[in-house]
Amino acid sequence: MEEFIKIEREESDINLISPLTWAYIGDCVYELYIRTKLVNETNLKPHKLHIEAIKHVKAKSQAELLQKIYDKLTEEEKDIVRRGRNAENHHLPKNANVQEYMYATAFEALIGYLYLTRQNKRLKEILEF
């Protein structure tokens, strides 16, 4: 199957990108994964799909998911998480405390990094935990 979205950067370049950029793309990848999963597994109407998706993609849920999977991560993945968590973010969370927001950003950074480095098998494993 031909790639729908082509990633044109090399892994060495991706390692130099800001962890907040990894989180930016990771947020999109994770939300698309959740929305697709809901469409595949339910017959909900769009508004209900949205309400259900929010339960999964909100900062608190992502922070909890990261805690759940953390011990299953490789050392490299834990380093990505650490970099995402410690990235200086000037955004103030609206619906989460600062710690939840930092860990949600770390989770999104991991998802984004795996996506950008084309580690699709590992990305799938983490998303399915």
Side-chain angles (χ1 to χ4, degrees):
M1 179 178 193
E2 188 176 332
E3 287 184 37
F4 174 66
I5 300 171
K6 185 172 174 73
I7 300 165
E8 297 185 355
R9 292 190 178 217
E10 297 299 320
E11 187 170 340
S12 59
D13 293 335
I14 293 164
N15 286 325
L16 301 175
I17 294 175
S18 162
L20 293 178
T21 302
W22 299 338
Y24 171 77
I25 196 76
D27 176 56
C28 297
V29 170
Y30 187 62
E31 185 157 357
L32 182 59
Y33 170 79
I34 292 298
R35 287 180 177 213
T36 303
K37 182 174 169 59
L38 289 171
V39 167
N40 286 338
E41 296 177 359
T42 72
N43 290 317
L44 298 173
K45 294 191 182 328
H47 179 71
K48 295 280 187 184
L49 285 167
H50 176 70
I51 299 300
E52 198 60 34
I54 287 172
K55 293 177 187 177
H56 298 279
V57 301
K58 65 184 179 181
K60 181 177 175 138
S61 296
Q62 290 180 347
E64 289 170 354
L65 182 55
L66 179 59
Q67 288 176 332
K68 180 178 148 187
I69 68 170
Y70 189 79
D71 290 337
K72 297 174 179 134
L73 299 179
T74 67
E75 289 306 313
E76 178 189 16
E77 291 165 348
K78 287 178 182 178
D79 187 55
I80 298 300
V81 165
R82 180 190 55 76
R83 290 176 63 189
R85 185 189 69 231
N86 293 338
E88 190 172 333
N89 190 342
H90 299 290
H91 180 78
L92 294 173
K94 290 184 267 184
N95 299 311
N97 65 46
V98 173
Q99 185 175 7
E100 288 170 339
Y101 192 77
M102 288 171 55
Y103 280 95
T105 301
F107 174 75
E108 291 172 346
L110 175 62
I111 298 303
Y113 182 85
L114 292 173
Y115 172 78
L116 290 170
T117 56
R118 301 168 196 86
Q119 296 181 54
N120 296 331
K121 182 179 178 194
R122 182 60 174 155
L123 177 59
K124 185 175 189 276
E125 288 172 0
I126 287 174
L127 292 174
E128 292 178 348
F129 274 131

